Amino acid sequence: MRYVIIGAGAVGGSVGGRLAEAGQDVVLVARGAHHAALREHGLRLTTPDGTRVHRLPVVDGPEALELRPDDVLLLCVKTQDSTAALDAWSARPVAGGGTAGELLPLVCAQNGVESERLALRRFRHVYAMCVWLPATYVEPGVVSAGGAPYTGMLHLGRYPSGTDATATAIAAGLEKGRLLAPVVPDAMRWKYAKLLANLANAIEAVTGVIGEETWELVRRATAEGATVLDAAGIAYVGPEEQAEKRGDHITFDPASGVERGHGSSWQSLSRGTGTIEADYLNGEIALLGRLHGVATPVNDTLRRTANTFARERRAAGSMSVAELTALIDAATTDR
């Protein structure tokens, strides 16, 4: 089994590096300066047990790789980039006949819950993965992952539901690389729980703060999200079950030498990419709210504000918590 990591950034690079350390067959897919650095210097991955440089095959797109029947495609791009990636990879031929979309398993290792639906239009064999993996894209070619004793927990299952031998085989490969990968029949229930947690991403991205100062905003965004999921009849894992399953498997030790990085949305703003995943996090709650008659002023405001920051390339963390709170309060009052 060969793992093709489509989007070898913070999460993809961490997964790819850990798989490589375990002797698994890995190909990294990256673009621009990151691609150039990976080709020239290798992937430099720092974890609590040290820094390693992995000299792995790296390509900048599907045209540069001959796909094999034993390939597993791990989609690790942000959801706003999913459609382009899925279109590019699904029609690629596989050695021996057929296309990737017809034959190969595709795992959506991403935040949000939309990519699986996008993928299922193009791939027959789609798997959902709930990614709990604290990681940071430091600079081109360099990634850090601070979780210990395991680097991440990746609940995995077929989409829309169920398990099979392929999911079990993928998980077995992942678990050789310090990555817990429980195979579950309800992976989307885990992903909706992660969606609720990710509603805070926009708060951190625009204010630069996650802590006591923003707890009330996080509470309001999460409570609104839970109300919407309940109204839509969508199941999600509760805090108690999450705590029970995770236990102490993934903790952050400041003494490890790995700095705690900001979240994925903050990283998008800090790199000036011009895009952010808020449409598929806070925007998912706004969409479901409109479909089911629930007002979502908090998440509407967070989505709009984060998108404005990305579009105008405003600096991550350049809005005060008070300013963001005022915007949300005004939107709530206007309802």
Side-chain angles (χ1 to χ4, degrees):
M1 182 173 282
R2 181 174 70 170
Y3 295 84
V4 180
I5 313 293
I6 303 171
V11 168
S14 299
V15 171
R18 280 308 205 186
L19 286 170
E21 289 171 19
Q24 301 295 298
D25 198 356
V26 177
V27 177
L28 303 178
V29 184
R31 298 178 298 179
H34 191 43
H35 171 262
L38 291 171
R39 284 182 63 89
E40 185 171 354
H41 304 294
L43 170 66
R44 183 180 180 89
L45 174 63
T46 297
T47 63
D49 52 342
T51 297
R52 297 173 178 83
V53 176
H54 302 285
R55 297 282 183 172
L56 300 172
V58 56
V59 299
D60 60 0
E63 297 81 6
L65 182 67
E66 182 179 0
L67 292 175
R68 307 184 329 205
D70 66 336
D71 281 338
V72 174
L73 307 181
L74 264 68
L75 187 65
C76 300
V77 301
K78 299 285 176 46
T79 303
Q80 63 266 29
D81 298 319
S82 287
T83 297
L86 292 166
D87 284 344
W89 286 90
S90 61
R92 294 300 300 169
V94 176
T99 66
E102 295 167 335
L103 300 174
L104 300 184
L106 179 121
V107 181
C108 295
Q110 303 160 283
N111 288 335
V113 295
E114 180 65 16
S115 281
E116 285 81 3
R117 293 184 72 249
L118 296 172
L120 201 60
R121 298 175 188 273
R122 299 159 174 86
F123 283 82
R124 290 182 182 175
H125 309 291
V126 176
Y127 296 80
M129 177 178 281
C130 179
V131 178
W132 288 93
L133 195 164
T136 303
Y137 172 93
V138 179
E139 61 184 56
V142 181
V143 172
S144 69
Y150 292 94
T151 297
M153 179 172 281
L154 313 171
H155 284 83
L156 171 69
R158 284 193 64 91
Y159 179 78
S161 62
T163 65
D164 61 14
T166 298
T168 301
I170 293 170
L174 292 166
E175 294 203 337
K176 292 177 181 178
R178 305 287 289 276
L179 297 160
L180 290 175
V183 177
V184 295
D186 56 352
M188 292 306 295
R189 192 169 68 97
W190 287 89
K191 293 202 73 165
Y192 275 103
K194 179 73 184 305
L195 172 66
L196 291 178
N198 286 143
L199 298 179
N201 286 19
I203 299 171
E204 182 199 24
V206 302
T207 69
V209 178
I210 285 292
E212 186 173 357
E213 191 178 354
T214 58
W215 282 349
E216 178 58 18
L217 286 182
V218 172
R219 185 200 66 76
R220 291 169 68 181
T222 305
E224 185 179 271
T227 298
V228 167
L229 295 186
D230 291 342
I234 295 173
Y236 52 94
V237 177
E240 296 81 7
E241 185 177 356
Q242 293 182 57
E244 177 189 354
K245 297 298 183 183
R246 287 199 202 96
D248 295 326
H249 295 314
I250 305 170
T251 60
F252 185 84
D253 180 5
S256 69
V258 182
E259 293 185 11
R260 182 187 291 274
H262 289 279
S264 57
S265 295
W266 188 95
Q267 293 178 52
S268 292
L269 291 183
S270 68
R271 296 201 306 272
T273 62
T275 66
I276 197 168
E277 58 190 341
D279 279 344
Y280 301 99
L281 301 177
N282 310 94
E284 180 70 26
I285 297 303
L287 169 63
L288 289 170
R290 290 164 188 152
L291 289 173
H292 297 279
V294 179
T296 58
V298 178
N299 283 285
D300 268 331
T301 302
L302 291 174
R303 181 200 63 81
R304 184 172 60 253
T305 304
N307 279 332
T308 299
F309 265 64
R311 184 174 59 254
E312 297 178 356
R313 288 178 166 79
R314 294 175 60 179
S318 58
M319 175 177 280
S320 72
V321 175
E323 287 175 304
L324 181 59
T325 301
L327 287 176
I328 291 173
D329 287 346
T332 303
T333 303
D334 289 343
R335 294 283 171 169

